[in-house]
Amino acid sequence: MDRNIIIRPHYIEAIKQGLAENMIVVLTGQRRVGKSWLLDGFKLVVEAEGPCNCIRVDKEDLDFDFILTYTDLHQYIKERIASDRPNYILIDEVQEIEEFEKALRHWRKQPNCFLVVTGSNAKMLSSEISTLLGGRYREVYVQALSYKEFLEFHNLEDNDASLLAYINFGGMPSLRNVALNESLTRTILTDIFNTALLKDVILRNKIRNPSLLENIARFLADTTGKLVSANNISKRLSANGVNSTPGAVISYLKMLCEAYIVKRVPRYDIHGKKLLEQNEKFYFEDHGIRNVLLGSDRAKDIERVLETIVLQELIRRGYKVNVGQLPAGEIDFVATDGSGDKLYIQVTYLLSHPETMEREFGALRRIEDNYPKYVISLSPMLDRSVVDGIIHLPLRQFLMKGLNP
């Protein structure tokens, strides 16, 4: 097996499960988040398991520029299909191929053909694949590297220095190539952001005002962890000399979410047990990209970075996450597992002052049900502990072992 490819077992198993159910597997997620690595890793895995025929198409490679439409794709596959062994058809950035759905639908019906494709825009699923494939696909959402994967990719030990590197640089897999050199890392992350903005938002949606789009993205970076609305975004931008309307802001927010650049987290009324429609929070899919947009000084906004890291880890572990709303304030996250059970989480930097302890633990005490309650912090020299039934969990422990090690 190629030692340059690091296998991400969770995703490989999800791909196999989808194919076993005769589904087309669609890997979604932000551009450069590691979907291509997963295709290559999956190819190595199935080739090591026995004889097979892998047909690989990479629309980010100039060698495949000639595949422009579904007929080009169909012909390319047809010329390479094998009749005596399983065929794995692996297509990267499939949305770059016009009417690709027609070719996928054909080859899914053929014996011994298994399809895995990647895409960098959620709109591809909602309006394109789902219509023509009639639900015969399985989405596998690919996130940036977890902290544990970050350690493996960069050959690091689990310690405070490694956690600080993860907090600063984020989890984009391509950073492995520059050994976390700060200057080169900043260049790579800036390029990833600009490419995603251009290819997956501006060009795909024929944006006429790209400067407004970028201003909205930077506004979201600056307000991570704060409740925002289209109205207050528009007012803030207009006050800074950027013309906008709430309608345009709503449209651009949707596009940024569809391109997996940011994630929308709606509010949940804890006492009323319902989702609230107005005001929500937006977090970047990769906190490293957000850091680059705002500069290198983490001291001023460390809690926002920590919130982003905790949010993404909760999603990675299978939770549906909302912002909690109480009459007297907010809870950072309400996480719901697959069985419908909830837990409440506050995220903070340090628990070194009594007022901080009261703010974080007091908010959780005001919740009148018996679901588990957690405070996750970066406090050094502290281990898992319980205060008034509320569990304090150090960030490193949570990232390595989850909520209930």
Side-chain angles (χ1 to χ4, degrees):
M1 188 171 291
D2 188 343
R3 293 185 179 182
N4 290 319
I5 299 293
I6 295 178
I7 303 300
R8 302 173 75 179
H10 168 74
Y11 294 116
I12 298 297
E13 289 306 310
I15 293 171
K16 287 184 173 182
Q17 180 63 37
L19 295 180
E21 296 172 3
N22 196 30
M23 297 285 191
I24 296 173
V25 174
V26 185
L27 305 181
T28 61
Q30 184 177 354
R31 189 174 291 267
R32 306 270 291 277
V33 80
K35 302 187 297 294
S36 299
W37 285 55
L38 279 174
L39 284 187
D40 292 336
F42 178 75
K43 180 174 181 290
L44 290 175
V45 168
V46 295
E47 287 177 339
E49 291 175 345
C52 64
N53 177 43
C54 291
I55 302 172
R56 182 79 159 87
V57 175
D58 183 357
K59 281 300 292 176
E60 291 202 306
D61 188 329
L62 287 175
D63 288 343
F64 294 95
D65 264 9
F66 68 94
I67 299 180
L68 299 176
T69 69
Y70 74 95
T71 54
D72 301 328
L73 178 61
H74 174 73
Q75 188 62 31
Y76 183 84
I77 296 171
K78 185 176 180 180
E79 292 171 357
R80 290 159 178 79
I81 210 76
S83 59
D84 58 345
R85 56 194 186 278
N87 294 277
Y88 293 97
I89 301 168
L90 313 174
I91 308 171
D92 213 0
E93 299 299 345
V94 71
Q95 76 275 358
E96 304 294 336
I97 301 171
E98 185 178 345
E99 296 185 289
F100 63 86
E101 314 92 327
K102 294 180 179 179
L104 299 189
R105 183 172 56 181
H106 171 83
W107 288 108
R108 188 191 72 80
K109 296 179 180 179
Q110 306 310 306
N112 280 334
C113 285
F114 306 94
L115 285 88
V116 186
V117 305
T118 80
S120 299
N121 196 289
K123 189 176 180 181
M124 176 186 73
L125 280 180
S126 61
S127 64
E128 294 166 16
I129 286 185
S130 60
T131 300
L132 283 177
L133 297 183
R136 301 302 296 174
Y137 68 89
R138 172 69 53 80
E139 179 185 6
V140 176
Y141 168 51
V142 181
Q143 296 174 261
L145 300 178
S146 68
Y147 174 61
K148 291 174 71 173
E149 290 174 324
F150 177 85
L151 296 178
E152 181 181 6
F153 266 61
H154 297 285
N155 194 28
L156 298 172
E157 298 293 327
D158 173 31
N159 54 40
D160 287 342
S162 297
L163 180 58
L164 179 60
Y166 184 64
I167 289 170
N168 283 331
F169 298 124
M172 297 305 283
S174 52
L175 298 186
R176 183 186 184 210
N177 300 326
V178 296
L180 299 180
N181 174 281
E182 188 164 348
S183 177
L184 292 175
T185 293
R186 189 180 305 113
T187 299
I188 288 175
L189 293 177
T190 301
D191 175 66
I192 291 173
F193 172 73
N194 289 336
T195 302
L197 211 62
L198 176 64
K199 290 190 175 182
D200 300 319
V201 185
I202 295 172
L203 294 180
R204 184 173 181 83
N205 296 285
K206 299 180 174 61
I207 296 294
R208 296 182 180 180
N209 192 351
S211 62
L212 174 59
L213 176 71
E214 184 169 352
N215 273 295
I216 291 173
R218 292 184 181 277
F219 176 89
L220 296 179
D222 188 44
T223 57
T224 293
K226 294 183 178 180
L227 289 171
V228 297
S229 68
N231 280 328
N232 63 39
I233 293 175
S234 180
K235 288 178 181 178
R236 171 85 171 270
L237 292 176
S238 296
N240 292 329
V242 179
N243 292 327
S244 67
T245 65
V249 170
I250 290 172
S251 179
Y252 284 2
L253 288 174
K254 181 180 179 183
M255 293 173 191
L256 288 168
C257 291
E258 287 176 342
Y260 301 98
I261 294 172
V262 299
K263 179 173 292 294
R264 170 183 171 268
V265 182
R267 289 186 302 158
Y268 179 84
D269 182 352
I270 294 173
H271 287 170
K273 303 185 185 305
K274 62 181 180 180
L275 288 176
L276 302 175
E277 296 181 358
Q278 293 185 341
N279 291 334
E280 48 208 0
K281 294 185 179 183
F282 292 85
Y283 293 87
F284 272 67
E285 294 272 353
D286 177 67
H287 59 277
I289 290 177
R290 180 210 174 252
N291 292 347
V292 164
L293 292 179
L294 291 184
S296 59
D297 185 5
R298 297 280 66 75
K300 295 179 180 178
D301 64 353
I302 183 65
E303 290 194 355
R304 301 183 194 179
V305 182
L306 300 184
E307 277 187 40
T308 304
I309 291 171
V310 170
L311 167 70
Q312 294 295 347
E313 186 66 21
L314 288 169
I315 294 170
R316 193 175 287 114
R317 291 177 181 271
Y319 291 97
K320 179 180 178 180
V321 185
N322 296 105
V323 175
Q325 184 67 47
L326 289 166
E330 294 175 16
I331 300 297
D332 288 332
F333 299 123
V334 180
T336 308
D337 65 18
S339 66
D341 288 335
K342 295 181 176 61
L343 53 88
Y344 305 105
I345 296 174
Q346 289 284 77
V347 183
T348 190
Y349 177 30
L350 300 174
L351 290 171
S352 55
H353 299 291
E355 56 267 28
T356 305
M357 292 280 291
E358 177 56 31
R359 183 183 71 236
E360 305 300 341
F361 284 85
L364 292 170
R365 290 190 196 103
R366 289 191 290 271
I367 301 175
E368 298 173 352
D369 62 39
N370 294 317
Y371 287 119
K373 303 172 180 67
Y374 296 84
V375 174
I376 297 176
S377 83
L378 204 58
S379 295
M381 307 302 291
L382 291 179
D383 204 347
R384 182 186 177 97
S385 59
V386 180
V387 179
D388 296 336
I390 300 168
I391 299 169
H392 170 248
L393 200 57
L395 179 65
R396 268 180 56 203
Q397 192 175 125
F398 165 62
L399 294 177
M400 292 297 292
K401 299 179 180 179
L403 292 168
N404 300 296

